[in-house]
């Protein structure tokens, strides 16, 4: 078997694509997480130990990605305290995460997208990086997170804390710009797979070094919602900083 990262003929392991921790939190509810799809005609299935692919990585290469997977789980699977909340008109609209490492977190999303793109597992069949696959692989091999706008990452979080399942990732579009959308235990991660810049309403909302991440507390699929949210957020952040 050929490892897709090092291209060596080696024994391949059960490689997770979405790290196990993002499933484990759901499993603490004493039942296996439900894997959902919003594709027509498909029914939810139980996946007792998460989802893995036995045809993509050797153990050594999988270990290279582990620090990035670990960092993403540390940053995203924390209890979000009130100190991190951003309010507007007494309504909690976002969380601000200041404590993260751009390189590690960005490389997690780069490798997540690459792994999902090369995987032949049914769960990941609706994700493809197409002509960008090679570039993602080179970024992984050189441990280069790239500039913030390259595969820009924007995060949202369901405001409803009860999340019953994991949806399969899929392609998405905002104002004509191509994205892939991943569901990670309550989070939605939007990764830009397009050489054009981010849509206007996402201008302040993508992962950058030395800037706190703003996690919007909703799934802003429609860019109109996004424009409104961005406006509200910009005002409330300004207010927050002025008051501080
Ligand atoms: Zn390898």
């Amino acid at each position: 078997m050929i490892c897709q990262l090092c291209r060596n003929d080696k024994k391949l392991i059960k490689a997770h694509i979405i790290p196990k921790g993002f499933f484990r939190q759901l499993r603490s509810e004493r039942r296996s997480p439900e894997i959902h799809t919003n594709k027509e005609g498909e029914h939810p299935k139980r996946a007792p130990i998460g989802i893995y692919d036995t045809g993509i990585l050797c153990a050594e290469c999988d270990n290279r990605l582990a620090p990035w997977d670990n960092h993403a789980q540390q940053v995203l699977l924390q209890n979000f305290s009130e100190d991190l909340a951003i309010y507007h008109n007494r309504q909690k609209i976002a969380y601000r995460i200041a404590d993260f490492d751009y390189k590690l977190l960005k490389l997690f999303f780069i490798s997540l997208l690459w792994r999902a793109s090369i995987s032949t597992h049914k769960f990941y069949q609706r994700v493809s990086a197409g002509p960008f696959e090679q570039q993602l692989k080179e970024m992984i091999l050189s441990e280069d997170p790239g500039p913030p706008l390259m595969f820009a990452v924007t995060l949202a979080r369901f405001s409803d804390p009860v999340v019953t399942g994991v949806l399969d990732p899929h392609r998405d579009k905002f104002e004509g710009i191509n994205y892939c959308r991943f569901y990670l235990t309550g989070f939605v991660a939007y990764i830009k797979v397009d050489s054009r810049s981010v849509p206007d309403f996402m201008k302040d909302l993508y992962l950058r070094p030395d800037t706190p991440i703003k996690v919007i507390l909703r799934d802003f699929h429609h860019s109109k919602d996004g424009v409104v949210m961005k406006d509200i957020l910009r005002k409330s952040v300004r207010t927050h900083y002025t008051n501080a």
Side-chain angles (χ1 to χ4, degrees), residues 48-212:
I49 44 171
I51 295 168
Y52 54 82
D53 191 316
T54 53
I56 57 172
L57 292 172
C58 71
E60 206 180 307
C61 287
D62 193 58
N63 281 338
R64 284 181 74 165
L65 313 182
W68 309 337
D69 287 1
N70 293 341
H71 187 65
Q73 291 172 88
Q74 252 165 37
V75 171
L76 300 180
L77 295 177
Q78 56 175 305
N79 287 317
F80 286 90
S81 69
E82 278 301 298
D83 310 353
L84 306 177
I86 298 174
Y87 280 86
H88 176 74
N89 291 342
R90 293 189 190 161
Q91 199 193 342
K92 200 188 292 181
I93 56 160
Y95 283 112
R96 190 163 20 87
I97 307 175
D99 198 7
F100 72 100
D101 182 308
Y102 172 76
K103 184 179 175 182
L104 297 178
L105 194 57
K106 181 73 184 289
L107 279 167
F108 162 70
F109 288 110
I110 296 290
S111 69
L112 176 70
L113 175 60
W114 178 74
R115 282 176 279 184
S117 183
I118 62 165
S119 174
T120 55
H121 194 291
K122 199 161 177 270
F123 186 71
Y124 295 103
Q125 72 184 0
R126 295 202 288 157
V127 172
S128 167
F132 294 94
E133 217 169 69
Q134 185 59 28
Q135 191 180 356
L136 291 164
K137 183 178 164 179
E138 281 161 17
M139 290 166 85
I140 294 167
L141 288 169
S142 57
E143 302 189 2
D144 171 16
L149 278 171
M150 184 184 284
F151 302 109
V153 177
T154 296
L155 292 172
R157 189 172 164 81
F158 295 116
S159 45
D160 184 351
V162 182
V163 180
T164 57
V166 178
L167 283 158
D168 56 338
H170 55 83
R171 272 170 286 182
D172 209 346
K173 256 186 207 283
F174 291 104
E175 296 180 5
I177 311 291
N178 296 299
Y179 274 80
C180 281
R181 170 201 288 241
F182 286 84
Y183 299 87
L184 304 166
T185 315
F187 284 93
V188 184
Y190 306 91
I191 309 177
K192 182 167 70 70
V193 190
D194 202 304
S195 46
R196 291 168 289 176
S197 188
V198 295
D200 229 33
F201 74 91
M202 281 191 180
K203 282 255 156 74
D204 285 337
L205 299 175
Y206 56 87
L207 191 60
R208 280 164 292 182
D210 309 317
T211 307

Side-chain angles (χ1 to χ4, degrees), residues 3-8 10 12 56-62:
C3 168
Q4 305 260 344
L5 193 58
C6 65
R7 304 304 301 174
N8 291 323
K10 283 170 103 173
L12 303 187
I56 57 172
L57 292 172
C58 71
E60 206 180 307
C61 287
D62 193 58

